[in-house]
Amino acid sequence: QVQLVESGGGLVQPGGSLRLNCAASGIIVSNYAIAWYRQAPGKQRELVAAITRGESTNYANSVKGRFTISRDNAKNTVYLQMNSLKPEDTAHYYCDAVGILQDYWGQGTQVTVSS
């Protein structure tokens, strides 16, 4: 059974940092493209960052220079390091593993940026 478990969210002040974790079981993350999405109340889900099988990365313009996606093959985990957080980064963050025929989602983790 495939599971993606996100963790690391929480409440942080503006300018602070968090690291989100997407721990996978039942799949090997290096065989998939992994993306982080977020959804804020009343808004559409949006792509935040993605890492390909070959470890190429891409980011939403709104997070470029602040967020970094990375992968630890030994831990079968993908990370999203978030720095210089802003109130507009507040959202529920999800990871998504995309294969040729498969698409797996986790339950997400909440990030709230507020003073």
Side-chain angles (χ1 to χ4, degrees):
Q1 183 179 357
V2 176
Q3 278 193 309
L4 300 177
V5 179
E6 299 95 332
S7 62
L11 173 64
V12 63
Q13 292 187 340
S17 298
L18 285 173
R19 188 181 78 165
L20 304 185
N21 312 307
C22 174
S25 59
I27 61 169
I28 299 172
V29 293
S30 58
N31 290 340
Y32 290 75
I34 308 292
W36 284 97
Y37 286 81
R38 66 186 181 188
Q39 187 166 21
K43 294 187 177 181
Q44 289 189 331
R45 186 173 294 186
E46 64 171 341
L47 175 66
V48 176
I51 185 167
T52 68
R53 292 174 59 184
E55 297 195 275
S56 296
T57 59
N58 65 283
Y59 299 91
N61 287 334
S62 59
V63 307
K64 279 182 181 176
R66 299 188 298 123
F67 291 11
T68 302
I69 189 170
S70 63
R71 189 176 74 207
D72 185 332
N73 294 337
K75 295 183 178 179
N76 212 33
T77 298
V78 173
Y79 303 100
L80 185 67
Q81 178 67 43
M82 307 187 296
N83 299 327
S84 303
L85 283 161
K86 304 175 181 180
E88 51 263 43
D89 295 317
T90 295
H92 206 74
Y93 284 70
Y94 301 86
C95 67
D96 172 31
V98 182
I100 295 174
L101 297 176
Q102 307 92 347
D103 190 4
Y104 303 109
W105 289 85
Q107 293 300 305
T109 185
Q110 178 67 32
V111 172
T112 302
V113 185
S114 175
S115 55

